[in-house]
């Protein structure tokens, strides 16, 4: 959650920021390896909930906006993300499923993206588990994700569980918001 991250706006800042970030990461995680990523200022943090079974089927269960954060920890989660254009939403959902399909993903998970003010989206990471905020997705889809994840791990096909992209499209409704007290 933000440990080892540094914002670098000029070449002069790079060396000190690198040394501080690697030191902090090494201390916190036992690994000082560093990734350099594009800075997306005032970006929106969008997460796509996915589910993959053992037979190659992957579905998305739409997205959440987790932009409101305090010290890199999510404070407000909203599903579906309120400020995405339909075109940007579909691109993000398609990319999340494409990524999961490419790696043969099998489980519940979350694919995270940043969206800039021009609606470009950038992949951040995959969390190979349910996250605390999965409940907002359950509210808009009517799916119990814990129960679904257990059934998938026990060998059920998503289709046997009635979980197809088409069935989800007809059941996604409303808005759900989760707030955390910090």
């Amino acid at each position: 959650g933000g440990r080892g991250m540094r914002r670098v706006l000029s070449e002069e800042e790079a060396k000190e920021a690198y040394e501080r970030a690697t030191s902090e990461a090494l201390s916190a995680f036992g690994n000082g390896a560093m990734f350099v990523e594009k800075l997306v200022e005032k970006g929106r943090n969008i997460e796509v909930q996915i589910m993959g079974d053992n037979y190659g089927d992957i579905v998305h269960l739409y997205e959440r906006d987790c932009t409101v954060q305090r010290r890199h920890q999510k404070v407000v989660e909203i599903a579906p993300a309120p400020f995405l254009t339909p075109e940007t939403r579909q691109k993000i959902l398609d990319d999340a499923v494409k990524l999961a399909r490419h790696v043969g993903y099998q489980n519940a998970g979350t694919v995270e993206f940043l969206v800039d003010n021009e609606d470009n989206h950038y992949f951040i990471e995959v969390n190979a588990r349910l996250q605390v905020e999965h409940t907002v997705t359950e509210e808009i889809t009517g799916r119990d994700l814990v129960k679904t994840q257990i059934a998938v791990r026990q060998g059920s096909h998503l289709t046997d569980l009635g979980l197809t992209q088409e069935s989800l499209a007809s059941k996604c409704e409303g808005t759900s918001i989760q707030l955390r007290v910090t």
Side-chain angles (χ1 to χ4, degrees):
R3 301 293 302 254
M5 290 176 37
R6 294 292 182 278
R7 178 179 175 160
V8 178
L9 299 176
S10 69
E11 189 175 334
E12 294 76 31
E13 298 174 327
K15 183 178 182 200
E16 180 184 348
Y18 175 82
E19 289 171 355
R20 291 183 66 206
T22 54
S23 173
E24 183 177 321
L26 184 60
S27 175
F29 308 115
N31 183 341
M34 194 61 47
F35 293 96
V36 177
E37 299 175 316
K38 176 182 177 70
L39 173 63
V40 178
E41 293 191 88
K42 298 182 181 175
R44 289 169 287 163
N45 185 331
I46 305 297
E47 300 180 342
V48 178
Q49 184 70 60
I50 58 169
M51 187 72 70
D53 66 19
N54 301 334
Y55 311 98
D57 290 325
I58 307 278
V59 295
H60 69 74
L61 292 99
Y62 296 93
E63 82 291 338
R64 305 182 284 262
D65 186 319
C66 301
T67 300
V68 179
Q69 299 185 15
R70 182 171 185 252
R71 296 187 190 126
H72 304 290
Q73 297 299 312
K74 298 164 194 163
V75 178
V76 178
E77 294 92 14
I78 305 171
F83 300 111
L84 292 180
T85 65
E87 297 79 17
T88 301
R89 173 176 283 112
Q90 195 59 55
K91 286 178 187 176
I92 291 170
L93 296 173
D94 289 347
D95 283 351
V97 170
K98 182 179 177 181
L99 183 148
R101 189 166 282 125
H102 180 74
V103 300
Y105 193 83
Q106 301 175 8
N107 195 12
T110 306
V111 184
E112 293 195 37
F113 298 91
L114 280 180
V115 179
D116 68 16
N117 59 7
E118 295 177 9
D119 281 343
N120 299 305
H121 65 283
Y122 305 93
F123 170 75
I124 302 174
E125 66 181 348
V126 174
N127 288 298
R129 59 182 164 74
L130 285 176
Q131 294 183 271
V132 171
E133 57 272 15
H134 77 275
T135 55
V136 295
T137 296
E138 290 180 330
E139 289 296 322
I140 65 165
T141 62
R143 299 299 304 207
D144 181 329
L145 296 179
V146 173
K147 183 178 177 180
T148 302
Q149 180 181 28
I150 292 169
V152 164
R153 295 313 308 152
Q154 291 176 332
S156 294
H157 288 259
L158 290 176
T159 54
D160 292 343
L161 300 171
L163 194 55
T164 65
Q165 208 61 71
E166 295 75 28
S167 70
L168 286 164
S170 65
K171 293 182 181 173
C172 182
E173 60 185 22
T175 299
S176 182
I177 300 172
Q178 177 176 307
L179 308 170
R180 296 187 197 175
V181 177
T182 61

